Amino acid sequence: MLPHVEKRETNRAQLSPAAFRFLANLVYVRTRIVLGPEKQPLVIARLTRRRRQLNLATWEEYCEYLRHDRGEELQRVIDLISTHHTGFFREPDHFTFLRDTFLPPWMKQRRATDELCVWSAACSSGEEAYSIAMTLAAFFAQAGEARWRLEASDISTAMIEIARRAIYPAHKVTLPHRGWLPAFFQKGTGDQDGHFRVRSALQSRMRFHRINLFDPEYPFATRFQVIFCRNVMMYFDRASQEELVGKLVAQLALGGCLIVGHSESLLGMNPALRPVQPGVYQRHR
Ligand SMILES: C[S@@+](CC[C@H](N)C(=O)[O-])C[C@H]1O[C@@H](n2cnc3c(N)ncnc32)[C@H](O)[C@@H]1O
């Protein structure tokens, strides 16, 4: 039997349906991430440490704290609640598509002043963005110089910080070609031993932003030839997915491609898109 005080603390820290609804609604309104009742254990697992850090004994107190928050605590909740799983060259056929199917005709048809612009939207800690950048750099090294740049963004400030730092544990840096490790990464020494840092030559082509995909406007003046928006739509409901696809299509150049995760389908979602291969859709009008 637990001592009296401990038992009270355990009971008081139970997440009531009302407190869960408050938290789920807050997250939905800001991010469109849907937290159904089955996500209650996930919310407890990801937010308990933060609640304790603030010395708040109950979830009601934490909700009250959030009601008076100016946005900083909500950002923390978003950072903690959203799933950031990613990896270098995850779903590799999308990078093969870029290299073998998309880039050769773009290279042939471009005018001298054209710049290839790619956006890695919802890039998490940056691995996807650096994988795209390596694919582009390697392609243009062989096919001839061209102007290109990569924008990368995520709603999570914590993830964007990691992406900008560009330092990854060695075991996570899994690349399709052996020569790419020395070409694109520097080996860490001292307290960075066991890590690799992306070389600044590659990084200089890239910019990282904190962007909520549902922001009323995106901070880009140009349209993109390719937008990667992978493994994030699955957290949204159908209405939000359709809204987002409409916003992304508006940001896509004619003939440009929108790439989503393998478990996500955009079939029937937007008449301007036609399917090209699994996860790849082209704007045809
Ligand atoms: C599972 S990761 C996917 C990372 C990468 N695209 C990939 O496929 O490996 C999903 C990312 O979406 C971000 N995210 C969730 N809701 C978002 C929103 N409304 N706007 C922008 N990013 C969002 C999360 O912060 C998270 O880093």
Side-chain angles (χ1 to χ4, degrees):
M1 181 88 175
L2 289 169
H4 181 66
V5 177
E6 257 183 66
K7 192 174 169 203
R8 232 181 85 225
E9 155 64 20
T10 313
N11 287 341
R12 286 171 72 202
Q14 270 176 12
L15 183 59
S16 68
F20 175 71
R21 271 198 307 278
F22 173 82
L23 291 169
N25 186 54
L26 203 64
V27 170
Y28 180 79
V29 168
R30 179 59 75 93
T31 67
R32 304 292 182 89
I33 294 172
V34 177
L35 295 171
E38 76 288 354
K39 292 283 162 64
Q40 192 152 328
L42 175 137
V43 169
I44 295 172
R46 295 195 181 169
L47 295 184
T48 294
R49 192 208 281 210
R50 176 61 188 157
R51 177 179 60 75
R52 289 199 181 134
Q53 240 176 23
L54 292 167
N55 265 329
L56 301 171
T58 68
W59 287 106
E60 279 68 25
E61 284 172 54
Y62 187 55
C63 292
E64 201 47 35
Y65 186 84
L66 277 161
R67 276 191 195 99
H68 296 103
D69 166 52
R70 294 219 179 115
E72 276 173 37
E73 191 58 23
L74 177 55
Q75 183 61 49
R76 257 177 207 273
V77 170
I78 292 167
D79 286 355
L80 292 168
I81 287 291
S82 45
T83 298
H84 304 296
H85 174 75
T86 189
F88 286 99
F89 293 92
R90 179 184 189 187
E91 300 181 356
D93 45 323
H94 292 156
F95 302 95
T96 311
F97 167 81
L98 190 61
R99 184 195 64 201
D100 293 347
T101 310
F102 189 85
L103 289 173
W106 181 85
M107 190 70 181
K108 252 192 205 150
Q109 287 156 21
R110 85 197 157 112
R111 289 159 302 184
T113 51
D114 284 353
E115 182 179 40
L116 182 87
C117 302
V118 180
W119 180 14
S120 168
C123 70
S124 187
S125 39
E127 289 88 334
E128 176 182 275
Y130 290 116
S131 304
I132 300 168
M134 283 185 263
T135 305
L136 296 178
F139 176 85
F140 290 121
Q142 285 216 318
E145 245 333 286
R147 293 174 64 218
W148 66 271
R149 79 187 150 86
L150 190 116
E151 308 285 356
S153 66
D154 199 276
I155 197 172
S156 163
T157 44
M159 289 303 114
I160 289 300
E161 254 173 55
I162 297 174
R164 285 198 181 119
R165 234 175 118 229
I167 297 171
Y168 298 94
H171 70 274
K172 292 205 169 160
V173 187
T174 48
L175 308 177
H177 304 285
R178 193 184 281 189
W180 285 17
L181 192 61
F184 296 121
F185 290 85
Q186 267 177 305
K187 200 169 169 353
T189 54
D191 62 349
Q192 297 300 335
D193 194 29
H195 290 72
F196 285 97
R197 189 187 196 295
V198 178
R199 287 191 187 276
S200 52
L202 193 68
Q203 255 194 321
S204 66
R205 302 273 197 163
M206 308 167 69
R207 280 189 309 186
F208 288 95
H209 317 257
R210 188 209 157 267
I211 294 175
N212 181 347
L213 290 166
F214 293 94
D215 282 345
E217 280 177 18
Y218 300 136
F220 305 122
T222 50
R223 290 209 170 147
F224 294 94
Q225 277 69 43
V226 186
I227 299 177
F228 281 69
C229 187
R230 305 187 309 162
N231 302 302
V232 60
M233 298 226 193
M234 56 199 184
Y235 299 108
F236 306 144
D237 54 25
R238 173 86 188 187
S240 303
Q241 289 174 352
E242 279 180 16
E243 182 184 333
L244 175 58
V245 171
K247 286 166 74 63
L248 295 177
V249 165
Q251 204 66 53
L252 204 57
L254 201 61
C257 284
L258 173 59
I259 304 186
V260 299
H262 280 309
S263 59
E264 299 163 321
S265 170
L266 305 186
L267 284 178
M269 233 179 240
N270 191 300
L273 293 178
R274 66 172 185 90
V276 176
Q277 68 172 61
V280 182
Y281 299 82
Q282 184 174 38
R283 179 171 180 190
H284 65 101
R285 63 175 158 105

